[in-house]
């Protein structure tokens, strides 16, 4: 991908790089760590040769785009949009629609049983900068005074639910945009324990539908 920049420079007048940034390497090991280090090497070697860079946030522009480019010249910020979920860009097919119907029933059952619903924003990815497993601590903190259930965007095989939280964590799988927006509308709160986000799109999605969300600064 980055090597294509050299080809573009020979054939077109302008080459623009959309910069979503590289993630922190903390806690990564083995092949995953090699990939992230290679990515950073490629950024440093090639981004100085593009005509301009469009960073998805001021944070990315300041912390990565300008540094990898060598200066802030021709580095601009174009924020991501948050209204995409209303455009049905990712719509379930017939087989998935059956799953989404089951998901609606699951949430309705939880609500009828008196659970307060908290959504872990974004993909479930423990043992890295996403800090997904830290959400368990939030639920434990709330449990003495609230009947609460953590909704997680993962299937049951990819999340290790602690024994003491078996009745308070519910994997939702990977719903399409329509279903996910319904889920967001049903919850009392969205939380994101991530230490690092280039933009934090799930936060913007929650704000778009006027739902409360808590994330780290």
């Amino acid at each position: 991908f980055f090597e294509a920049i050299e080809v573009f420079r020979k054939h077109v007048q302008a080459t623009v790089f959309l910069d979503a940034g590289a993630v922190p390497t903390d806690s990564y090991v083995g092949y995953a760590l090699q990939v992230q280090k290679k990515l950073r090497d490629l950024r440093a070697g090639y981004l100085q040769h593009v005509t301009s860079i469009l960073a998805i946030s001021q944070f990315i522009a300041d912390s990565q785009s300008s540094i990898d480019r060598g200066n802030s010249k021709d580095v601009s910020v174009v924020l991501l949009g948050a209204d995409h979920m209303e455009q049905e860009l990712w719509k379930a097919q017939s087989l998935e629609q059956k799953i989404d119907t089951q998901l609606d029933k699951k949430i309705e059952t939880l609500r009828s049983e008196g659970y307060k619903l908290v959504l872990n924003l974004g993909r479930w990815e423990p043992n890295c900068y996403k800090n997904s497993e830290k959400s368990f601590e939030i639920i434990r903190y709330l449990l003495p005074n609230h009947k609460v259930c953590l909704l997680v965007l993962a299937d049951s095989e990819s999340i290790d639910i602690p024994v003491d939280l078996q009745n308070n964590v519910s994997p939702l799988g990977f719903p399409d945009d329509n279903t996910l927006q319904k889920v967001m509308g049903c919850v009392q709160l969205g939380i994101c324990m991530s230490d690092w986000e280039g933009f934090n799109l799930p936060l913007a999605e929650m704000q778009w539908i006027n739902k409360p969300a808590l994330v780290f600064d």
Side-chain angles (χ1 to χ4, degrees):
F1 176 81
F2 281 93
E3 290 175 350
I5 291 174
E6 292 184 343
V7 179
F8 294 150
R9 289 178 64 201
K10 296 177 181 178
H11 297 282
V12 298
Q13 292 183 336
T15 303
V16 181
F17 181 77
L18 178 62
D19 195 359
V23 301
T25 57
D26 300 357
S27 300
Y28 281 108
V29 296
Y31 178 71
L33 179 60
Q34 293 176 18
V35 170
Q36 294 302 326
K37 287 183 175 180
K38 180 64 174 180
L39 171 59
R40 290 183 176 275
D41 290 342
L42 289 170
R43 289 177 56 90
Y46 284 98
L47 292 192
Q48 56 187 305
H49 300 303
V50 297
T51 309
S52 61
I53 298 177
L54 301 182
I56 64 172
S57 68
Q58 191 64 53
F59 168 62
I60 291 295
D62 295 339
S63 66
Q64 294 195 41
S65 305
S66 297
I67 294 175
D68 289 336
R69 184 170 179 76
N71 56 67
S72 59
K73 183 180 180 181
D74 296 318
V75 175
S76 303
V77 175
V78 178
L79 301 178
L80 297 179
D83 62 343
H84 58 283
M85 297 181 72
E86 297 180 355
Q87 300 175 21
E88 298 184 351
L89 298 178
W90 182 29
K91 192 171 183 179
Q93 301 301 314
S94 56
L95 179 61
E96 293 171 323
Q97 287 173 352
K98 181 179 179 180
I99 297 175
D100 292 338
T101 300
Q102 295 172 345
L103 182 55
D104 289 340
K105 292 180 179 178
K106 175 188 286 190
I107 291 178
E108 186 56 39
T109 298
L110 289 170
R111 296 176 70 185
S112 66
E113 293 176 352
Y115 281 96
K116 301 292 186 181
L117 302 180
V118 177
L119 176 63
N120 182 82
L121 299 175
R123 67 181 183 273
W124 183 263
E125 193 171 340
N127 305 316
C128 69
Y129 71 93
K130 285 286 185 182
N131 269 335
S132 298
E133 70 278 11
K134 292 293 184 180
S135 297
F136 294 148
E137 296 182 18
I138 300 296
I139 299 305
R140 289 191 180 101
Y141 178 81
L142 293 172
L143 276 177
N145 300 303
H146 302 276
K147 187 176 183 180
V148 61
C149 182
L150 177 69
L151 305 181
V152 177
L153 299 178
D155 51 41
S156 56
E157 292 78 20
S158 59
I159 178 173
D160 187 12
I161 303 175
V163 175
D164 64 316
L165 295 179
Q166 290 292 318
N167 296 324
N168 302 98
V169 178
S170 181
L172 301 183
F174 306 97
D176 69 3
D177 285 348
N178 283 344
T179 307
L180 181 55
Q181 194 165 29
K182 290 179 182 177
V183 171
M184 288 180 166
C186 291
V187 303
Q188 276 68 50
L189 178 68
I191 60 173
C192 175
M193 305 303 291
S194 176
D195 283 335
W196 186 99
E197 290 295 316
F199 181 80
N200 205 335
L201 186 57
L203 169 62
E205 291 169 347
M206 288 288 282
Q207 291 175 327
W208 182 261
I209 60 174
N210 297 315
K211 299 295 292 188
L214 295 174
V215 306
F216 286 122
D217 182 355

